[in-house]
Amino acid sequence: MARPTNEQLMAMDKDELIILFNAVMDELDELRAKLALQQAEIERLKSPPPNSKNSSMPPSRDMNKRKRKEAKEIKKRGAREGHVMKKRELLDNPDTVIVGALEKCCSGPS
């Protein structure tokens, strides 16, 4: 709705002014309702969602918790496909031989 000039308002009769006033009040009511919705949305977005760190919720109820290992893809262990194994060659005639012997076993109770 275009804003009328002062001269146009002065030229209007009482009924036209009442119609214009009611239209302006209707638009004002719509804008106030829209503003209230937007302010409520802003307040909602300002506060973080509740989780175990900022409320009394248990950690099991957190939204971004890690998925169970069963649900995850199982990762294969060891060298990747196409890996070329490198190994030192044993000498036929070594200069010295060191025999390593343990005095006691460290893998279990003594």
Side-chain angles (χ1 to χ4, degrees):
M1 173 168 82
R3 182 178 180 150
T5 63
N6 287 345
E7 291 81 24
Q8 290 172 332
L9 289 172
M10 296 299 280
M12 290 182 183
D13 65 351
K14 186 177 179 179
D15 292 335
E16 290 174 327
L17 289 172
I18 291 172
I19 292 170
L20 179 63
F21 177 77
N22 287 334
V24 169
M25 293 306 291
D26 290 342
E27 186 176 354
L28 180 62
D29 290 339
E30 289 175 16
L31 291 174
R32 282 184 178 159
K34 189 175 181 180
L35 177 63
L37 288 174
Q38 289 175 345
Q39 287 174 334
E41 180 72 7
I42 288 170
E43 288 303 316
R44 185 186 68 80
L45 293 173
K46 277 184 182 178
S47 61
N51 60 29
S52 62
K53 293 183 180 182
N54 63 10
S55 70
S56 60
M57 286 176 52
S60 62
R61 292 288 189 170
D62 283 349
M63 294 292 287
N64 294 331
K65 64 183 175 182
R66 291 185 176 179
K67 294 181 181 179
R68 292 183 176 180
K69 286 185 179 180
E70 296 87 26
K72 283 187 174 182
E73 184 178 317
I74 297 173
K75 190 175 182 180
K76 293 182 181 179
R77 300 181 73 185
R80 300 293 167 237
E81 222 175 285
H83 174 73
V84 178
M85 185 171 155
K86 294 182 181 177
K87 195 173 172 183
R88 284 184 148 185
E89 296 292 328
L90 294 178
L91 296 175
D92 293 333
N93 297 322
D95 293 338
T96 58
V97 176
I98 301 173
V99 177
L102 295 175
E103 293 177 7
K104 77 176 181 182
C105 182
C106 60
S107 66
S110 53

